[in-house]
Amino acid sequence: MGLLVPVATFPMNKLCYCHSQQPFSQCCEPLLKGEAAPSAEALMRSRYSAYATGKFDYVLETYSQEKREQLSLDDLQENAEATQWLALQVEQHRPDGETAEVQFCAYFKEQGKVYKLHELSRFVRESQQWKYQDGDILPDTGPVKIGRNDACFCASGRKYKQCCGKG
């Protein structure tokens, strides 16, 4: 008998990339595999997880039809190629029937520097599925200055330098 190799690339108990504190297998993974997002917030979280795991086909597919026609898979991959996604903080989710807004901060690293993307995103329902329409980048977006002993923004409870700042 040969060795059994696990099919899943992630342990069943691995926490989700979107920092929901839920297992990836029960949070964003089902959406990345085709399950419809139950809310605009869930779609936004799954899009973050898709960026973090390089699932750019999912990112493209979850844009609204109007926006999707202006993008390509190559563009998405090229723009995110050198980005390491570190943490997500959802600040607000405002559903309003067939539209919704989600305000969030996403932290990422490029060329050894940490940045924050602070956005107010707009979502629409198309064919009974949530899609990303567009967003406004908020003024505090940009480089993040992290103090030597600052807590990590991923909510691990550890210092940044011992957490997302390692390596």
Side-chain angles (χ1 to χ4, degrees), residues 5-113:
V5 178
V7 176
T9 53
F10 303 102
M12 291 300 286
N13 60 352
K14 177 174 179 24
L15 291 180
C16 195
Y17 295 92
C18 77
H19 295 269
S20 64
Q21 302 307 307
Q22 299 291 323
F24 177 65
S25 62
Q26 296 172 19
C27 188
C28 290
E29 186 177 38
L31 304 182
L32 296 177
K33 290 183 172 181
E35 190 176 296
S39 67
E41 179 182 347
L43 180 66
M44 199 280 312
R45 287 180 173 282
S46 69
R47 285 172 55 85
Y48 175 89
S49 289
Y51 274 107
T53 59
K55 307 264 187 239
F56 299 109
D57 53 337
Y58 179 83
V59 175
L60 182 61
E61 180 183 306
T62 56
Y63 271 97
S64 68
Q65 180 65 37
E66 174 189 338
K67 297 295 180 183
R68 195 168 48 248
E69 292 170 357
Q70 303 166 19
L71 295 167
S72 76
L73 192 55
D74 288 340
D75 290 338
L76 291 172
Q77 288 173 320
E78 189 176 309
N79 288 336
E81 195 172 274
T83 304
Q84 177 189 0
W85 295 95
L86 302 173
L88 175 69
Q89 297 170 348
V90 175
E91 296 180 342
Q92 218 170 27
H93 174 223
R94 292 186 296 266
D96 188 16
E98 297 296 299
T99 64
E101 291 182 335
V102 178
Q103 186 172 327
F104 69 91
C105 290
Y107 294 88
F108 61 97
K109 193 185 285 188
E110 285 182 349
Q111 299 178 347
K113 293 184 181 179

Side-chain angles (χ1 to χ4, degrees), residues 118-159:
H118 193 182
E119 182 175 315
L120 177 60
S121 298
R122 286 177 287 282
F123 295 82
V124 296
R125 288 185 48 89
E126 291 179 351
S127 303
Q128 300 180 345
Q129 291 195 19
W130 286 105
K131 300 290 182 175
Y132 173 78
Q133 179 66 36
D134 60 18
D136 295 325
I137 305 297
L138 300 178
D140 61 339
T141 291
V144 175
K145 184 166 176 78
I146 301 169
R148 176 174 168 78
N149 293 311
D150 286 353
C152 194
F153 38 72
C154 77
S156 67
R158 296 182 289 175
K159 292 180 183 179

